[in-house]
Amino acid sequence: MVKRYISKFYMILMFIFLYAPIAVLAVYSFNSSKSRGAWGGFTLKWYVELFNDRDIKSALYYTILVALLSALISTIIGTISAIGIHNMKHKQKALILNINYLPILNPDIVTGIALMILYLSLNLKLGFLTMLLSHITFGIPYVILAVLPKLKQMNKHITEAALDLGATPLYALRKVLLPQIKPGIITGFLIAFTLSIDDFVISFFTTGSGVNNLSMVIYSMARRGIKPTINALSTLMLAVVLGLLLLINKRSSFDKKHVKKVGK
Amino acid sequence: MKNKAKLLTYPYIVWMGLFIILPVLLVFLYSITFNEINNIKTISFTINNYKMFFTPVYIQVTLRSIYLAALSTIICLALGYPIAMIIANSKMTSKSILLLLFILPMWMNMLLRTYAWMTILGNNGLINTLLANLGLPTLNLLYNNGAVILGMVYNFIPFMVLPIYTTLSKMDNSLIEVSEDLGANKVQTFIKVIFPLSLPGVISGIIMVFMPAVSSFVIPKLLGGGKDALIGTLIEKLFSLGDWNFGSAVSIVMMFIILLSMAVMNRFDVDKEGGAGLW
Amino acid sequence: MKKKIIELKNITKNFNDETVLDNINLYVNENEFVTLLGPSGCGKTTTLRIIGGFETPTEGNLFFDGKIINDIPPYKRQINTVFQKYALFPHLNVFENIAFGLKIKKLKKSEITYKVNKILKLVGLENFCNRDINSLSGGQQQRIAIARALVNEPKVLLLDEPLGALDLKLRKEMQIELKNMQKRIGITFVYVTHDQEEALTMSDTVAILNEGVIQQIGTPVDIYNEPKNAFVANFIGESNIIDGIMLDDYKVMFCNKVFTCVDKGFSKDENIDVVIRPEDLVITDENKGLLKGVIKSVIFKGVHYEMLVNAEDFEFMVHSTLKFPLGSNVGLTLTPEDIHIMKKSNN
Amino acid sequence: MKKKIIELKNITKNFNDETVLDNINLYVNENEFVTLLGPSGCGKTTTLRIIGGFETPTEGNLFFDGKIINDIPPYKRQINTVFQKYALFPHLNVFENIAFGLKIKKLKKSEITYKVNKILKLVGLENFCNRDINSLSGGQQQRIAIARALVNEPKVLLLDEPLGALDLKLRKEMQIELKNMQKRIGITFVYVTHDQEEALTMSDTVAILNEGVIQQIGTPVDIYNEPKNAFVANFIGESNIIDGIMLDDYKVMFCNKVFTCVDKGFSKDENIDVVIRPEDLVITDENKGLLKGVIKSVIFKGVHYEMLVNAEDFEFMVHSTLKFPLGSNVGLTLTPEDIHIMKKSNN
Amino acid sequence: KNSGDKAEIKVLNYGQYIDKTLLTEFEDKYNVKIIYDIYPAPEDMYTKVKAGGTDYDVIITGEYMIERMINEGMLAKLDYDNIPNFEFVDEKFKNQPYDSNNEYAVPYFWGTLGLLYNTKAVTEKVDSWDILWNEKYANRILMMDSQRDTMAVAFKKLGYSLNSTNEQELKEVKQLLLMQKPLVMAYVVDEALAMMIAEEADIALIWSSEAASAMGSNENLNYIIPKEGSNIWIDAMCVPATSSHKKEAELFINFMTSKESTLKNIDELWYSTVHTEAVKEVEEFLFDNPAFNPSDEDVKRTEMFRDLIDEIKVYNKLWTEVIAD
Ligand SMILES: Nc1ncnc2c1ncn2[C@@H]1O[C@H](COP(=O)(O)OP(=O)(O)OP(=O)(O)O)[C@@H](O)[C@H]1O
Ligand SMILES: Nc1ncnc2c1ncn2[C@@H]1O[C@H](COP(=O)(O)OP(=O)(O)OP(=O)(O)O)[C@@H](O)[C@H]1O
Ligand SMILES: [Mg+2]
Ligand SMILES: [Mg+2]
């Protein structure tokens, strides 16, 4: 009982730590002064301005599109590769994993510039595609790292049982293996998505004209002080996601109750 | 069966060859040449870039970076593990919600978050204002290693929590029961059974925190005040200033050091895991 | 006088409104060997888990040495368990698995090594010290699980089908080893098995469970020879159970014939179950038998042949070392002592 | 003529340079019921896993219908397996587990429901459709594992101790069900069990393994009555194995006495093993017996008492439904047919 | 392509360095579509454009970067016939060394490097770089995490040219900067503006443009150009050699140089203008601001950065050693 309270308390502390800066930036989205340093009174003008800013809208679109696509593709490639890596012999596995660590280890600017030179020498036009490829490249290693522990935990006899019952490896993968490593896959997706949303340097060097993401907009604003419109945007995004979460939570708890009733 | 599953990695191996190895080779090439390498005829090789690195100043930077990153990683682990456990032990529906709530702040831009931290930590920031109002002495919270570590912990802790959470969720409960049956109390059970079983997740978490932390540059620049350069800031600076050659050498050395120390760790691990290595 | 070390008082356990254990009352004396016996899913494992502390009873109390221990966590109970599904630690090798409990007790290294090796020899796996758990065969894993619990020399040992995966030979050996150990070290055993013979051989007391209800508690001989109801009789050994009518004391009618028996005290013309063990029936010449019948099937069982004999519309199972040809007409005889009369159970 | 459906030719399997299977040769005819029997760790599961396609033999070939299938993946083999450790899908409920194979075959929904329900009834778990796998008892899980394999009606079914977790009653029922099914649908069974009686009851052919080497292949009666060596004799049933000398055809000496027997063809004065089944020995009055002895121990086994009789420095195990008092002096008799002579095995 | 015959130009600029309504205005007025991109720092822009993956038509960037790009043949000569508004550009900013004949670039805004300080905390007279070495302000000083700007201070304090490559002078600069390091609160990237407004620090090395906007938010702040001299910078518009819509690009440059556009831009950005007509019409408070409109003497003491080509590596090394120490 006491333990439950302690863990609840700890959890709340942790969430305060995580959300304190977010709260600050949300508050500043209502600050009529343009500068982060001073409070100039309450205003909604940044929200109004947000809807009139063409660059932010297009950047938001590309940010979400690239994040979703790259996270999805990284998750697919990463998960499949992780399964392969899991089945490798020790030496091979070590080699592949070490190479896999490089994008995680390399500073973004090195990756960004190196990829840019790569694309150009491949005669790829910098733009949406190259940016997407780059995001996939740095997403996959994280997905692999997220999926591998779950694979290691898995009982191999269960996959064998599926094959035994006539499941092709692909079917066994879909119906037996994936459901079991699902937490790892979801985690991998979340990490890849998060990294993609947050990436600036690599995106900058590998994108082309007209395709910008929010991070690029924000970093480029830094010199003059980031406009509170961005805070407004962040606050809105947060609100939307939180709202969705609340909705899902309500739905699923409703479903549960419902099922229980029917069950009786 | 095993051999076949291995094939699944081949597409990624090709991908790696193209998008990871080739760029790294390029970086390596820069590290051993003068100037640009656009023209193959004028290429000339040198090891000066490496020589330059091995001077006390840069070694110190490297050590400092590894120290800060390691410290942040340890703190992430210490703070994150309980969180992962709490989430893993919570009810089915609240699990995914908690998880998303946990990573949601990271969807706000890192620069914004870091600036927000500066607003909180500054001399006239929220914390110090609070302290002053309480009649307490104010603190120097910003522009020191503490702030850098705080920033790193803040930004990387989800990457520690998530993989640990995945290994803890749906852990074989009977093993925990056996442990308690054999007389291990909750703490001993944790140390001897739960933690070792979650080790793969912990290792993933450590890698996902430590490696980007070693080479991070925005956080040390903004929260550390750019006074004590870290290897990430150094590389970023060298590259953006156009000195790709030396920058490349620094990156290569860093990769080498980190991967080598990982290999050493791996060696230790081999005995325990029966040849399975880190994995 | 014997001391009750464990006592279950009115224990009931529900899972999602389904009653799995129903008002269980059972005590275990110090140094006693108690076996729980019952069909699959009857609640044996659940009972052990309650004693071990892994489930809390929905109702009722659990006593250890006279004190209620409902809320004492498993690690504070001086009880060790051999789990039905082994539950070996995958991250530890054979040695480390067995040494687990000893290390927790902070024994000296040399002592741990000594004890582990001794117990490994006992289960016949001396050379398996450094083996990975996953590379062991089923029976080997089971033996490690036994060793891991035994090595701690607990006051009470709970064993959930500990010999299930072993072959007859090894099982017999291990039975004798376990029994010896129990006597020598003075451990109390609560044993779950699905092997009736094992239960009868090893136990001081046998408790028969069915659908969460205790059917009978008694010594092996009691249970076997004086089953309380047809379920017990049928479960504990193979039996022919025939509807009969008790005409009078020592006089029973079944299969349209009147037999002399050794039972009395029933009301007149009471409907009863007649239980006859297959090995008590003797096949004779057709005209020498009390009953006449035809051999319907013959199965070789090694020690004996198992034959089904159709006599007076009832299929008698008969065990005999002699083989009679399929379809031949035979007689069946039996002595009055072999006729067990029992009251009809309610269901 | 019968068709060989599965054939193992010179199969050897090493794990890390340790030989686990050593030059195994074995074939299985269509619709045959072959049982692998052997002590724990002798390689039974490994043999099944090779047939199922989960291990590749280090040496030798595996034939299915006359074709080598060493490299055919498991899902392309018309073989289903009941795994020793069940290996049920934890993320699926009981129904979905059983329906797994049928869904792959793209059967109609109604058909799947029909088949699953039918098989659930067979294993006695009609009402468990929506149950979570982890909430099942050990025996229930095992039955689901059997159902999951059986429902696919494969050509060949591999069963690794499929009834190990079931009580005698249910085991017998399931034995009969399995056997009936095997005959009715015409499935070929390769069966692993540690239960000698089960092996003898159900099988057409029994193969005895020890330490990766096949000791004997034959019908149950052959194996039981004509064991090729002392290991088989000892393993397949409890036996008294005594050192003896073959004096002449039909004349054997052991325990310092000369007995008549039915064996011949040994060289003169050859050292041999004499095997006598405990149930073949009859306890008589001290002076009526061929051998004189003292009762050393008496264990109640339900069907019979198991007694150790010390006679002429050898401890004879004797099974008898009559109980003799501990320490009493008795005689032992036996007929010439009950004396089995076998060559000394090399080890 | 999809907009049919409608021309399209690609513009690359710093972030937040334009009144965006001007873009729409231009598009409507000339029926030319603008694809507008931004970059965070000139070096990053250079790296990317130099690599050749881009096809911009107009780039707005700093003078030293333009010099480098001219030297490397990355820019196209402008056709000034298409930029009649060029005449309004103050002669002061024409024919500067980075583009000595004014063939490649049209100035956009300009500014200086100076000290922004809080008059509440710094009560003494501030007129010299020396104050940055004054222990009284230990940990209240913000320097820039930009090697050339921070080194420029040291050069000027020592009385040298801020483009010096003299070994001895560089050594002295390094010494000076290392001496100063313990006093520095932080080498900030872009945060000086906000930090000074929030009064987190007392003195900051800053660009006049940022200073102007800081002073607009906090009236305790003041800006000066120290007497030892300082740096002056010009941001200018140029057309890359790879441009395929040079005409429209020049049209855009001309549009941006018009008085109306300039005024609109000033209103939004508060940067010092190069426009002779516009400057007359800026609001009074801005006109009087020393950061927006420094005195001619102050400007006379300033020096422009030159592209150092390979010598930059020496600077890089010096600077990394300063911050790594
Ligand atoms: N992956 C492996 N690595 C090393 N040794 C193994 C491996 N798998 C099995 N063995 C060994 O091979 C031998 C035979 O194992 P197998 O599982 O076939 O035995 P089994 O006859 O099924 O025994 P049981 O009746 O106990 O299940 C055992 O000694 C076992 O320890
Ligand atoms: N967690 C649970 N949730 C719901 N039902 C459960 C749970 N655990 C056990 N049961 C049910 O309780 C009953 C008794 O289970 P238990 O494991 O005690 O049986 P058992 O006697 O050990 O059987 P077996 O010999 O097959 O192992 C079974 O019907 C089982 O399905
Ligand atoms: Mg059980
Ligand atoms: Mg086995």
Side-chain angles (χ1 to χ4, degrees), chain A residues 3 7-8 10-11 14-15 17-22 24-25 28 36 77 80-81 83-90 92-94 96-111 113-119 122 133 136-137 140-142 144-146 148-150 152-153 159 163 173 179-180 183-184 186-187 190-191 193-195 197-198 201 214-215 218-219 222 226 230-231 234-235 237-238 241-242 245-246 248-249 252-253 256, chain B residues 1-3 5-6 8-10 12-13 15-16 18-24 26-27 30 78-80 82-83 86-87 92-94 96-113 115-120 126 150 153-155 157-159 162-163 165-171 186 197-198 200-201 204 207-208 211-212 214-215 217-218 232 235-236 239-240 244 247 251 254-255 258-259 262 266 270 273 275-279:
Chain A
K3 224 187 92 202
S7 64
K8 208 162 220 165
Y10 182 67
M11 198 77 188
M14 206 65 200
F15 275 119
F17 173 59
L18 284 170
Y19 279 84
I22 309 299
V24 168
L25 74 88
Y28 276 100
R36 184 161 49 83
I77 301 180
I80 291 172
S81 311
I83 294 167
I85 291 173
H86 178 69
N87 284 301
M88 279 181 160
K89 291 209 193 72
H90 180 240
Q92 269 177 316
K93 190 188 282 185
I96 299 283
L97 279 177
N98 274 322
I99 297 172
N100 188 52
Y101 295 148
L102 292 178
I104 302 178
L105 190 53
N106 256 334
D108 289 352
I109 191 157
V110 179
T111 310
I113 290 180
L115 283 175
M116 174 182 74
I117 294 175
L118 173 76
Y119 296 139
L122 289 177
L133 284 175
I136 295 170
T137 301
I140 295 174
Y142 283 90
I144 290 179
L145 279 176
L148 269 180
K150 212 60 203 166
K152 205 183 171 201
Q153 233 178 22
T159 337
L163 295 179
L173 182 83
Q180 290 193 72
I186 291 173
T187 305
L190 280 179
I191 293 176
F193 183 81
T194 308
L195 288 170
I197 277 202
D198 225 17
V201 181
L214 273 178
S215 285
I218 293 169
Y219 276 81
I226 288 163
I230 300 291
N231 289 357
S234 302
T235 310
M237 276 165 58
L238 190 81
V241 178
L242 282 179
L245 275 185
L246 226 70
I248 293 168
N249 193 18
S252 54
S253 59
K256 262 223 162 135
Chain B
M1 174 56 217
K2 245 188 147 151
N3 301 335
K6 215 169 65 183
L8 292 174
T9 323
Y10 286 14
Y12 182 50
I13 289 178
W15 181 287
M16 283 199 303
L18 195 58
F19 291 102
I20 300 178
I21 296 178
L22 219 58
V24 168
L26 192 79
V27 172
Y30 270 107
L79 292 179
I83 289 287
I86 294 170
I87 298 181
M92 250 347 262
T93 41
S94 53
S96 43
I97 303 272
L98 282 178
L99 213 58
L100 263 176
L101 278 180
F102 205 81
I103 201 156
L104 186 57
M106 305 301 133
W107 293 0
M108 307 301 121
N109 187 274
M110 142 114 103
L111 199 61
L112 294 182
R113 279 179 280 142
Y115 280 164
W117 270 118
M118 293 172 75
T119 313
I120 294 172
L126 294 182
L150 177 115
V153 169
Y154 179 78
N155 276 296
I157 199 168
F159 302 150
L162 290 177
Y165 155 77
T166 55
T167 42
L168 285 177
S169 74
K170 293 200 185 146
M171 184 176 274
K186 301 270 177 200
L197 286 174
S198 68
S204 272
I207 291 169
M208 288 201 249
M211 291 196 171
V214 169
S215 62
F217 69 94
V218 174
I235 294 171
E236 193 264 347
F239 266 86
S240 63
W244 293 6
S251 313
M254 183 190 70
M255 281 181 227
I258 303 292
L259 292 184
M262 297 253 324
N266 217 349
V270 165
E273 298 252 306
L278 273 176
W279 297 103

Side-chain angles (χ1 to χ4, degrees), chain A residues 55 204 212 216-217 219-221 223-224, chain E residues 10-20 22-23 34-42 45 49 56-62 108-109 235-238 252 256 265 269 271:
Chain A
D55 292 341
F204 174 78
N212 298 312
M216 289 168 64
V217 172
Y219 276 81
S220 304
M221 277 182 172
R223 200 168 58 115
R224 297 283 299 161
Chain E
K10 294 176 179 163
V11 178
L12 184 60
N13 190 4
Y14 287 105
Q16 278 200 72
Y17 202 27
I18 196 168
D19 180 341
K20 277 192 191 152
L22 287 173
L23 297 174
I34 296 179
I35 292 178
Y36 181 74
D37 283 341
I38 46 189
Y39 64 85
M45 179 278 293
V49 174
Y56 288 104
D57 300 302
V58 177
I59 294 178
I60 303 177
T61 190
Y108 185 57
F109 283 110
D235 287 334
M237 299 174 275
C238 54
F252 177 75
M256 290 307 293
N265 244 347
L269 302 173
Y271 272 56

